[in-house]
């Protein structure tokens, strides 16, 4: 069997690191799936055919398919080829991107429409997340986000006063809040993410065109600036099948970290 390091991936270039090679195969397949090349509920070619197409071993193909399965793009049963689950856009947590930048990186046209903006006293959870003193006020926005004109997500964001005052001055149909805030020195540099599933409420159903109570994928996110000061506490609710999140972990990095701690 030919060695992976001696072959070229169809996406371009020769990579002598087999670990990087299967990721490039996965990236190429991911692009084909999200662009609709295999259709909804279509089947990917067999492992042997993919290995021949990309000039790699079946082991590399299996690693690439495992990434796609983790992304929620394909599934498989014993004895059958991988079935495409849908055309969900994959968003990676390996880098912090605004919805607008992420959408454009996928070749989509992002949209945003402000439904409401309120100023009110922060509740206990908001004070904790944004590190606010008792009695502090917050600005709360409710926005519909679209991809190429199609509703995909309802965004609820709580801002501390210094950020919310700037957001309140933005036009209701501005596509991105992040970009104009950056011009005022508000930087979004680090974030903690929590992913779960919630039932759509009345606002979700109205804006996304789904039934009340239907499941939505929720991402809760607290973002801080370079000094570690919180600049937003947000939750985004996505329609199923419109987005998938990917997370990369490294056993080597974990082992290195443990070794460093043990040496302290």
């Amino acid at each position: 069997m030919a060695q992976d390091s001696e072959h070229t991936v169809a996406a371009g270039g020769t990579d002598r690191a087999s670990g990087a090679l299967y990721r490039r195969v996965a990236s190429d397949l991911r692009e084909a799936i999200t662009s609709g090349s295999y259709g909804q509920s279509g089947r990917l070619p067999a492992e042997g055919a993919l290995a021949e197409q990309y000039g790699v071993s079946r082991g590399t193909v299996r690693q690439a398919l495992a990434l796609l399965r983790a992304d929620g793009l394909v599934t498989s049963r014993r004895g059958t080829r991988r079935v495409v689950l849908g055309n969900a856009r994959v968003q990676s947590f390996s880098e912090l991107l605004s919805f607008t930048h992420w959408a454009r990186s996928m070749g989509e046209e992002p949209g945003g429409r402000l439904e409401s903006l309120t100023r009110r006293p922060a509740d206990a959870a908001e004070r904790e997340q944004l590190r606010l003193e008792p009695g502090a006020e917050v600005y709360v926005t409710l926005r519909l986000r679209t991809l190429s004109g199609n509703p995909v997500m309802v965004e609820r964001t709580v801002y501390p006063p210094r950020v919310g005052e700037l957001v309140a001055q933005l036009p209701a149909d501005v596509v991105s809040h992040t970009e104009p805030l950056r011009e005022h020195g508000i930087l979004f540099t680090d974030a903690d993410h929590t992913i779960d599933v919630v039932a759509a409420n009345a606002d979700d159903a109205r804006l996304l065109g789904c039934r009340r109570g239907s499941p939505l994928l929720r991402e809760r996110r607290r973002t801080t600036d370079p000094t570690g000061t919180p600049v937003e506490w947000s939750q985004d609710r996505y329609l199923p099948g419109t987005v998938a999140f990917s997370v990369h972990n490294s056993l080597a990095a974990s082992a290195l970290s443990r070794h460093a701690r043990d040496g302290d």
Side-chain angles (χ1 to χ4, degrees):
M1 180 180 295
Q3 296 298 313
D4 295 347
S5 59
E6 299 174 357
H7 292 275
T8 302
V9 182
T14 299
D15 197 325
R16 294 186 177 278
S18 59
L21 190 58
Y22 80 87
R23 292 185 179 280
R24 296 182 66 184
V25 173
S27 177
D28 192 69
L29 286 171
R30 183 183 291 112
E31 182 177 350
I33 290 171
T34 56
S35 67
S37 296
Y38 294 105
Q40 186 83 6
S41 300
R43 295 181 184 275
L44 294 182
E47 286 181 2
L50 288 172
E52 182 177 354
Q53 175 183 341
Y54 288 101
V56 299
S57 70
R58 289 195 180 205
T60 294
V61 169
R62 292 190 191 102
Q63 287 180 294
L65 292 174
L67 283 183
L68 298 180
R69 187 166 60 249
D71 287 345
L73 292 178
V74 299
T75 187
S76 63
R77 295 187 301 274
R78 185 180 298 276
T80 64
R81 297 206 306 271
R82 268 69 176 182
V83 176
V84 176
L85 289 176
N87 298 334
R89 294 83 167 174
V90 178
Q91 186 173 169
S92 174
F93 288 147
S94 62
E95 57 181 332
L96 183 60
L97 293 178
S98 68
F99 177 89
T100 299
H101 280 127
W102 166 72
R104 288 173 177 163
S105 73
M106 298 292 295
E108 299 275 3
E109 182 60 35
R113 186 179 78 232
L114 181 66
E115 295 295 319
S116 65
L117 186 152
T118 58
R119 178 180 176 181
R120 58 167 174 75
D123 62 28
E126 292 162 350
R127 290 197 303 271
E128 179 181 0
Q129 292 294 336
L130 296 176
R131 300 179 193 165
L132 299 174
E133 296 295 329
E137 292 189 325
V138 290
Y139 288 77
V140 185
T141 62
L142 175 68
R143 300 177 74 205
L144 173 66
R145 306 310 304 272
T146 61
L147 291 177
S148 300
N150 299 310
V152 296
M153 183 259 282
V154 173
E155 176 186 275
R156 294 171 172 83
T157 306
V158 183
Y159 294 105
R162 68 186 182 95
V163 182
E165 290 169 0
L166 296 172
V167 171
Q169 300 173 23
L170 299 175
D173 60 350
V174 67
V175 174
S176 172
H177 284 177
T178 305
E179 293 174 358
L181 287 174
R182 185 183 299 114
E183 296 175 0
H184 287 85
I186 306 298
L187 304 180
F188 295 70
T189 57
D190 296 276
D192 296 314
H193 307 265
T194 302
I195 307 297
D196 61 3
V197 175
V198 295
N201 64 19
D203 283 333
D204 298 326
R206 173 176 58 85
L207 295 172
L208 295 174
C210 62
R211 290 187 177 183
R212 186 171 182 174
S214 60
L216 299 176
L217 183 64
R218 178 174 67 172
E219 177 209 356
R220 285 177 288 178
R221 178 182 65 258
R222 186 184 67 168
T223 311
T224 57
D225 66 13
T227 69
T229 302
V231 290
E232 69 167 359
W233 166 237
S234 184
Q235 65 162 284
D236 302 339
R237 298 186 177 193
Y238 291 87
L239 281 171
T242 59
V243 67
F245 296 105
S246 66
V247 180
H248 171 63
N249 294 308
S250 171
L251 181 61
S254 299
L256 183 61
S257 299
R258 288 195 299 271
H259 179 74
R261 290 196 300 270
D262 292 341
D264 290 342

